[in-house]
Amino acid sequence: MILFKADYKKYSVSQLEMLRFKEEDFYRRYDHCVLLQTCNRVEVYFDPNFVNLENLKMDFKDFELIKGKDAIIHLLRLASGLESMIIGEDQILGQIKKSYYTAKKYGKTTKYLDTVFLKSIHTGQRARSETKINKGRVSIASAAIELLEKNVELKNKNILVVGAGEIGTLVGKVLIEKNIKAIFVANRTYERAERLAKKLGGMAVHFDKLKEALNFCDVIICATASPHKILDKDTLKDVKGEKIIVDIANPRDVDDNVRELPNVKLYTIDDLRLVSKENLEKRKKEIPIVEKIIEEEFSILQRKLEKLNFEHLIKDYRNYIENIRNRELKKALKMIRSGKDPEKIIVKFSEVFANRLLHDFIEAVYSNKVDKEVIKDMITLLKSKIQ
């Protein structure tokens, strides 16, 4: 496996934003790969059997390169929740599934990638069903609310959720457990805002009325999929009252310049690292158990990949033999058509075919490219088959 990785451990939110791809453009350019993009990571997995690593290095020079076993182990750990900002979070498993099936829809996966990704999904499922690694609040949305609770009393506060997509929905589900005074939902598509607001027992807000909603609410949680900033210093400069904003969108919804406003407190995904650290302490007892599951599943996966590699080897060997056979057969048929004795030609064809195979075999043995003990065992086995 070849992996080009950028995640929250070494990259800031703004750096990750710059490294993100437009999915359609990415798959138009690259083959034999899976692109995984989440709130806090951009990762590209390539099948090493079909790509040239040196050619890819320039394209992904800003990413960390991981190869072979380490890349596969990383994916298994990621699916199990061990590489997430919040240890054990469930959302990443769904994101891996979605990314894999998207790559498959574009026709970009291979038998190798299918095997590895399906095993990662199974490993993640085992980790969650057999351990307590995902017990309690673990999603980015939950972490955002947990962060808020450490800094403000949420009870009887007016909350505005900007964005009615997947993350916004998760945020809303956590909020309704918190005895919030009122929940408002704003979205560019008003119908989506209405649907989410109805589920939450809140009120939908037209996007062109966003400024009025900002004035009315105490806490704003931004979670849109917009490629552009939706809040900045100019938008908020006339908003009255103390405001707490949590920006968990990627790309970011809120410009950093809002920090210059004395009545605004801004939190981003980077701030969630503190929450992650505390959750890690709660879950660290489960980590060795999950790692044991990963070890077991990796051993099974290795055997599958070895079998797959052998199948590739057999296919290559069959093609090698077919190329020789076709070449010599064409010569033999040409000679027969020219009127030469077919029986002699067939005998000659079989001799040339056998000698060609033997010549290449002997050349490989004498060049020390093949283990001679393995060759002896193979010949002994073949002799027993003939007898």
Side-chain angles (χ1 to χ4, degrees), residues 6-18:
D7 64 17
Y8 70 96
K9 293 180 181 178
K10 294 185 178 179
Y11 296 74
S12 68
V13 173
S14 58
Q15 287 175 317
L16 289 175
E17 283 179 23
M18 293 174 65

Side-chain angles (χ1 to χ4, degrees), residues 40-192:
N40 45 32
R41 71 183 63 254
V42 179
E43 299 185 353
V44 187
Y45 295 83
F46 284 98
D47 182 337
N49 300 298
F50 289 96
V51 297
N52 185 308
L53 178 57
E54 294 306 313
N55 291 344
L56 291 171
K57 280 182 178 178
M58 277 306 296
D59 287 359
F60 296 93
K61 60 182 177 6
D62 296 322
F63 289 72
E64 180 184 356
L65 171 62
I66 305 176
K67 298 183 290 184
K69 172 184 174 181
D70 291 338
I72 295 174
I73 290 289
H74 169 79
L75 180 59
L76 298 183
R77 289 178 60 85
L78 184 63
S80 301
L82 298 189
E83 295 295 323
S84 296
M85 186 182 291
I86 311 295
I87 291 294
E89 60 114 339
D90 291 328
Q91 198 177 354
I92 186 62
L93 187 56
Q95 289 165 332
I96 289 173
K97 287 181 186 177
K98 184 179 178 183
S99 297
Y100 165 63
Y101 287 117
T102 297
K104 201 164 182 63
K105 179 189 75 176
Y106 280 105
K108 300 299 181 175
T109 64
T110 62
K111 198 168 182 181
Y112 176 92
L113 289 171
D114 289 340
T115 302
V116 175
F117 269 83
L118 289 174
K119 174 56 70 177
S120 74
I121 292 166
H122 172 70
T123 304
Q125 290 168 338
R126 266 196 73 189
R128 287 164 177 80
S129 64
E130 296 178 24
T131 76
K132 296 178 181 178
I133 196 70
N134 66 330
K135 297 298 181 271
R137 301 197 177 281
V138 292
S139 71
I140 293 296
S142 298
I145 306 306
E146 191 172 330
L147 179 65
L148 276 171
E149 288 182 308
K150 291 178 183 296
N151 293 279
V152 65
E153 175 60 57
L154 287 181
K155 187 177 180 182
N156 297 323
K157 287 287 190 296
N158 293 326
I159 310 285
L160 171 63
V161 178
V162 185
E166 183 182 357
I167 301 296
T169 301
L170 290 171
V171 167
K173 287 179 179 178
V174 180
L175 283 173
I176 57 177
E177 302 172 11
K178 299 296 180 182
N179 195 27
I180 307 299
K181 183 178 179 181
I183 298 176
F184 297 85
V185 181
N187 196 70
R188 288 194 187 277
T189 306
Y190 182 69
E191 290 74 17
R192 291 191 72 178

Side-chain angles (χ1 to χ4, degrees), residues 207-221:
F207 215 72
D208 59 0
K209 301 291 184 184
L210 184 60
K211 193 153 189 177
E212 288 89 326
L214 291 170
N215 259 315
F216 188 70
C217 293
D218 308 293
V219 176
I220 299 98
I221 301 172

